[in-house]
Amino acid sequence: MQRRRNKGLTAALAALGVTATLALTGCGADGAGDTVTLRLVAADYGSGEANTSKKYWDDLARAYEAEHPGVKIDVTVLSWKDVDREVSEMVARGEAPDLAQIGAYADYARAGKLYPAENLVSVPTQSNWQPLLRQAGEVDRVQYGMPFGASTRLLFFNEDLFSKAGAKPPKTWEELQKAAQQLKAKDVTYPFALPLGSEESQAETMMWLLSGGGGYRDTTGTAYQLDSPANVSTMTWLKDELVGEGLTGPVAPGKLDRQQAFDAFVRGEVGMLNGHPTLMETAEKAGIKVGKVPLPSRDGEPTATMGVADWMMAFNQNGHRKEIGAFLDYVYEDKNVLAFSDRYDLLPVTVTAGETMEADKKHAALKPFLEQMPGSELYPVGEKSWAKVSESIKKNIGRAVEPDGNPKAVLEDIAKDARTAENQTAGGN
């Protein structure tokens, strides 16, 4: 009976010339009557065809379909350069996918386009997400963003270059400056690579502000503090004691993108930089002996480091809540979380998978990153204003460390943009 009704509906819609729209929105069955097709758009964490994320998702989707014959998973994997924009355009056209694994969720949540996590996945799945990441996925205390892929940051140094320069791994900014001076004396191209270009400077900036006792938000996490005295002091130190002393290499930090810095590290041209697990693997495959220590602080005392998470979200446009939830419970099983984390040298987003990885000797190199996660601080991704604030940082922060730059004035400009963005979002614009 169900199959006949669907066939009759399809015929009627075809007569009205709207079958194409139905196929695009995914609101109907895929021709099998009682089969539901879930559309997933995901980001590609691979560096090429050999390790593209599409292979991971295709394998997972086929395994799930074998156990759930009434559900099909249609996977599209796009590069990080394109995926957020493509999903945004899909939503604007009224063609939202059922699931998107991308970089930000807050705008969609505030627009009422997402299912709350509690309406999707089982209680064991919800309670197993790392607490810090679960909380970061909330908007107005309701979780919409489900963490998918995480990392923290450490200071990376080239052990061979350090040995030749007689330098020691730094714990303080003063020690970092001394090591950079020793590396410069040995003609290392980039004693300390400081990427404050437009590609990813919001990350590099946040790492330094945290290590200087500041950060993007105040201690309550409710307001931006971009031009705080601690932040001004940090950027002034960078300008005067690293950049001004010629310790950051031949490319001005404001012109140096993160990928350029990473590529130079892999080529053996960088003494030190702030790095993540994926860079560690790439550099070691290229023959670089990578040393790792916590990010140095002003006085050597531990400070929060930056944590990063990407997000899974479920759009409510097409319905399929029950099927989406069941599939997500499968996605977040330990075997699948560990498989993805292992493939791309990321940190597991669930407690039990993290414990398994930490106990496994083959993942010993990731243990320092895992240890940083509980005390890390994430971008304020739950704030709708964050996208505009992030863009202002990317656009402006490089000017703060230029020879004639004024760190206080630059941070005040960014803080003004932050207030404007908050006012606009508060007003519903």
Side-chain angles (χ1 to χ4, degrees):
M1 291 295 293
Q2 182 65 42
R3 184 172 284 117
R4 277 195 224 103
R5 283 199 296 271
N6 283 343
K7 286 184 177 179
L9 175 62
T10 301
L13 290 171
L16 292 173
V18 296
T19 303
T21 300
L22 177 64
L24 281 171
T25 60
C27 292
D30 63 355
D34 55 355
T35 297
V36 170
T37 297
L38 300 180
R39 294 173 57 224
L40 165 67
V41 178
D44 195 349
Y45 289 77
S47 57
E49 187 63 29
N51 67 342
T52 174
S53 297
K54 184 165 177 55
K55 292 184 178 180
Y56 170 83
W57 283 113
D58 283 347
D59 289 345
L60 186 144
R62 301 298 83 80
Y64 184 79
E65 290 169 353
E67 298 179 14
H68 302 80
V71 178
K72 289 190 176 182
I73 312 298
D74 179 19
V75 179
T76 300
V77 173
L78 301 170
S79 74
W80 271 112
K81 294 176 65 175
D82 300 323
V83 67
D84 286 282
R85 173 180 50 79
E86 289 283 350
V87 170
S88 177
E89 292 176 357
M90 291 176 190
V91 174
R93 294 195 302 266
E95 300 169 9
D98 297 284
L99 291 157
Q101 187 272 298
I102 53 178
Y105 65 87
D107 284 4
Y108 301 122
R110 293 184 183 278
K113 296 182 181 297
L114 302 180
Y115 285 116
E118 65 181 2
N119 292 351
L120 292 167
V121 300
S122 66
V123 171
T125 297
Q126 290 182 64
S127 62
N128 198 26
W129 284 316
Q130 297 279 0
L132 175 75
L133 303 180
R134 183 174 66 243
Q135 184 177 4
E138 295 178 354
V139 170
D140 297 330
R141 298 185 179 181
V142 177
Q143 185 183 357
Y144 296 92
M146 293 163 278
F148 191 92
S151 66
T152 56
R153 301 294 188 263
L154 295 171
L155 177 73
F156 286 15
F157 61 95
N158 184 311
E159 291 186 351
D160 287 338
L161 294 181
F162 260 58
S163 178
K164 292 175 184 177
K168 296 180 179 180
K171 292 183 179 180
T172 67
W173 288 359
E174 183 179 357
E175 291 172 355
L176 185 147
Q177 183 194 47
K178 180 179 178 181
Q181 291 168 339
Q182 292 171 297
L183 292 161
K184 182 181 180 182
K186 292 296 183 181
D187 297 322
V188 174
T189 306
Y190 294 88
F192 187 96
L194 183 66
L196 295 178
S198 60
E199 178 194 0
E200 193 76 7
S201 55
Q202 84 284 1
E204 186 73 17
T205 302
M206 183 173 173
M207 284 181 261
W208 277 100
L209 298 186
L210 289 172
S211 71
Y216 288 150
R217 308 285 279 181
D218 63 18
T219 55
T220 67
T222 59
Y224 289 105
Q225 60 162 17
L226 288 150
D227 56 349
S228 70
N231 290 348
V232 172
S233 177
T234 295
M235 297 309 298
T236 301
W237 188 88
L238 283 174
K239 173 182 179 293
D240 294 342
E241 306 299 332
L242 276 190
V243 182
E245 293 295 320
L247 302 176
T248 54
V251 180
K255 301 294 184 182
L256 184 67
D257 283 341
R258 185 182 69 168
Q259 193 59 53
Q260 290 175 274
F262 283 9
D263 290 346
F265 186 77
V266 172
R267 293 194 301 267
E269 299 172 1
V270 174
M272 296 175 280
L273 50 59
N274 296 329
H276 57 55
T278 304
L279 172 62
M280 175 186 67
E281 181 193 28
T282 304
E284 288 176 345
K285 285 182 177 178
I288 304 297
K289 293 182 180 178
V290 182
K292 305 179 293 293
V293 293
L295 302 186
S297 63
R298 189 183 297 274
D299 57 7
E301 292 299 313
T303 59
T305 188
M306 186 184 75
V308 176
D310 301 316
W311 303 97
M312 178 74 75
M313 62 212 69
F315 288 90
N316 55 28
Q317 175 182 317
N318 307 320
H320 302 160
R321 180 183 64 82
K322 181 179 177 181
E323 292 82 4
I324 292 171
F327 177 61
L328 288 174
D329 279 333
Y330 182 79
V331 168
Y332 285 103
E333 289 182 9
D334 277 2
K335 64 179 181 180
N336 296 320
V337 172
L338 285 167
F340 187 84
S341 300
D342 188 49
R343 184 175 298 202
Y344 297 109
D345 281 314
L346 294 168
L347 304 183
V349 297
T350 63
V351 173
T352 52
E355 291 171 345
T356 299
M357 178 176 280
E358 193 165 5
D360 191 338
K361 291 183 179 179
K362 77 173 184 178
H363 293 119
L366 289 175
K367 188 173 181 178
F369 296 97
L370 287 164
E371 291 172 344
Q372 294 287 314
M373 179 57 75
S376 65
E377 186 171 320
L378 280 73
Y379 297 135
V381 289
E383 300 296 331
K384 194 173 182 180
S385 58
W386 169 241
K388 292 183 179 179
V389 174
S390 176
E391 284 303 313
S392 180
I393 296 167
K394 292 178 184 179
K395 178 182 177 181
N396 294 299
I397 198 63
R399 294 190 291 111
V401 297
E402 291 177 352
D404 58 350
N406 185 330
K408 187 174 188 293
V410 171
L411 289 172
E412 286 174 345
D413 287 344
I414 298 172
K416 181 179 179 181
D417 289 343
R419 289 191 293 272
T420 300
E422 286 200 308
N423 291 336
Q424 289 176 340
T425 54
N429 295 330

